[in-house]
Amino acid sequence: MHLRTARRIDDIASFRVMDLLARARQLEAEGRRIVHLEIGEPDFDTPTAIVEAGRAALQAGATRYTPALGLPALREAIAGFYATHYGVTISPERVIVTPGASGALQLVLGVLVDPDTEVLMTDPGYPCNRHFVRLFEGRARQVMVRRDTRYQLTPELLRAHWSKRTVAALVASPANPTGTLIAKGMLAEMAAYAAEREGALIVDEIYQGLVYDQPDATALEISDQVFVVNSFSKYFGMTGWRLGWIVAPEAYVRPIEKLAQNLFLCAPTPSQHAALAAFEPEVLSILEGRRAEFRTRRDFLLPELRALGFNIPVTPDGAFYLYANCERFGVDAETLSARLLEEAGVAVTPGTDFGENGADQHIRFAYTTGMDDLKEAVARLRDFFKRA
């Protein structure tokens, strides 16, 4: 049988970290113990109160569709969270609940991108973003960012790379894989420039809440015309529940609603009911304790990796990643990642997942595992490099 696929499939690369994870699982099935530093998934279980709320919803028969924009009570709760934690008043009508942040990004890009239009984004950056743009027949224009801009887009870079075909810029704060933030003033300047060019600024705040050395913030503090994408996966620990949200400019709510009706119908109903408990004070207290633990892990792993010879020029502000230059070891990142997995039993992600900008010389370490495992990983890495 001849396999025919759309041309876009050839342009959408596999997620290398998932291939590495599959190999790690195979080694574990063979009896090896693997320390996992490759997956961006918190190791903490979903807080019990959220699980109980989901269970109660199922027992009450909450298994039918919600409105496409989401459960009204959850949209109100999200708006209330912005008010109490960030001092930002937004209408619940601007909140769209989605099947994960991936669903949110597809909806935003689906209403903005036409064939052959461009979306600016960073390189390195989260790999799926460029593929979402390709899905809608647009072009992801990747801007090479380096340590001098903390691996972020800046107003100067935005002005230099914006073209007649550009319809939006997509930034992330904190970012994956680098964990860096964008200063509020720079966000405001970029939002103003995008509006001046009749384009949009999309701000990925998926790791919001996981910020360690300064107060947490949101782009909604500087403009009501930006698209903010967020998730219950990272800070709230609900990865498998597949739930995220958009805060959209008011004029775009109806176009997004039409697309959501056709693509998803709605986000998972039990997950939406469960997420109502995510904003309870006792749950937020648990989540803040976990944030402190992530900071402890960062502060342990960062100097250890630097001592081993990895070059990490910028201390990450948030998320749970360290993006490390590995060129001093004399092999490319994919080769080194494969050897670390096979010979040391430490799973990491090669930079080639995140773009082309120095990708062969970088590895991402995710500190999404406990301190005992992190210490074991460092010991294994130290032994590996002594033998190499």
Side-chain angles (χ1 to χ4, degrees):
M1 174 183 172
H2 173 69
L3 177 65
R4 183 198 176 280
T5 60
R7 286 191 299 272
R8 69 177 64 90
I9 298 302
D10 294 332
D11 298 330
I12 296 176
S14 63
F15 209 167
R16 289 174 177 83
V17 68
M18 301 309 294
D19 296 334
L20 274 166
L21 178 61
R23 176 56 181 159
R25 297 300 188 207
Q26 181 182 355
L27 291 173
E28 288 174 323
E30 295 170 1
R32 293 276 303 278
R33 169 163 157 68
I34 304 299
V35 181
H36 291 275
L37 304 182
E38 79 279 39
I39 294 296
E41 180 174 34
D43 55 317
F44 300 109
D45 291 333
T46 301
T48 301
I50 297 176
V51 175
E52 290 301 325
R55 181 179 290 116
L58 288 168
Q59 291 174 337
T63 58
R64 299 180 182 276
Y65 298 136
T66 71
L69 294 175
L71 195 68
L74 182 56
R75 296 170 71 197
E76 291 173 4
I78 291 169
F81 184 68
Y82 282 107
T84 57
H85 283 73
Y86 303 104
V88 177
T89 300
I90 61 169
S91 168
E93 300 301 315
R94 293 174 54 203
V95 178
I96 299 103
V97 182
T98 61
S102 294
L105 285 163
Q106 289 176 63
L107 290 173
V108 172
L109 293 169
V111 301
L112 295 176
V113 175
D114 278 319
D116 295 322
T117 57
E118 292 181 344
V119 178
L120 302 181
M121 59 187 66
T122 62
D123 183 346
Y126 181 60
C128 297
N129 291 341
R130 62 183 184 268
H131 300 321
F132 292 149
V133 175
R134 178 66 183 90
L135 182 65
F136 294 106
E137 302 298 327
R139 296 177 56 187
R141 187 172 181 186
Q142 295 175 264
V143 180
M144 305 297 178
V145 291
R146 296 177 174 81
R147 59 182 292 180
D148 59 335
T149 66
R150 297 183 64 79
Y151 302 106
Q152 292 283 5
L153 279 179
T154 64
E156 294 75 21
L157 287 171
L158 199 65
R159 284 190 285 267
H161 290 87
W162 197 285
S163 75
K164 292 181 180 180
R165 292 191 297 187
T166 304
V167 295
L170 171 56
V171 298
S173 184
N176 176 11
T178 60
T180 60
L181 292 169
I182 305 175
K184 188 182 297 185
M186 293 175 63
L187 268 179
E189 194 173 341
M190 286 192 283
Y193 181 76
E196 177 186 322
R197 297 298 300 266
E198 298 183 346
L201 182 67
I202 308 164
V203 186
D204 166 353
E205 295 185 350
I206 293 168
Y207 295 92
Q208 186 183 52
L210 295 175
V211 174
Y212 307 120
D213 299 321
Q214 56 187 286
D216 198 11
T218 173
L220 297 169
E221 296 172 34
I222 56 97
S223 175
D224 61 2
Q225 293 304 303
V226 297
F227 291 84
V228 165
V229 171
N230 211 321
S231 173
F232 284 96
S233 290
K234 310 301 184 180
Y235 178 69
F236 295 98
M238 296 179 64
T239 50
W241 298 78
R242 304 316 304 134
L243 202 63
W245 74 83
I246 305 163
V247 180
E250 185 176 357
Y252 284 90
V253 172
R254 178 54 182 159
I256 290 174
E257 181 181 25
K258 289 195 297 182
L259 196 56
Q261 290 168 342
N262 283 275
L263 289 183
F264 310 122
L265 294 181
C266 65
T269 300
S271 300
Q272 293 190 60
H273 284 276
L276 287 169
F279 304 109
E280 295 296 329
E282 62 271 21
V283 173
L284 292 173
S285 177
I286 292 169
L287 299 178
E288 280 299 293
R290 294 177 177 182
R291 182 181 68 85
E293 173 63 20
F294 279 126
R295 177 177 180 169
T296 298
R297 295 175 184 181
R298 180 201 66 173
D299 291 347
F300 164 75
L301 189 58
L302 179 60
E304 292 288 350
L305 292 178
R306 284 172 170 165
L308 286 169
F310 290 98
N311 180 16
I312 309 173
V314 176
T315 298
D317 307 294
F320 33 61
Y321 306 115
L322 296 171
Y323 198 58
N325 186 296
C326 61
E327 61 184 324
R328 75 173 295 271
F329 301 111
V331 293
D332 65 83
E334 292 205 12
T335 300
L336 181 58
S337 296
R339 289 191 60 193
L340 290 177
L341 178 59
E342 300 290 339
E343 300 175 36
V346 177
V348 297
T349 305
T352 43
D353 248 352
F354 306 105
E356 300 177 357
N357 180 17
D360 283 343
Q361 290 83 45
H362 286 83
I363 284 175
R364 189 192 73 176
F365 294 84
Y367 44 94
T368 49
T369 190
M371 284 296 297
D372 288 345
D373 277 356
L374 290 180
K375 291 176 181 177
E376 181 176 348
V378 168
R380 291 185 180 196
L381 292 172
R382 188 178 296 117
D383 183 63
F384 172 85
F385 288 119
K386 283 182 181 177
R387 292 184 282 106

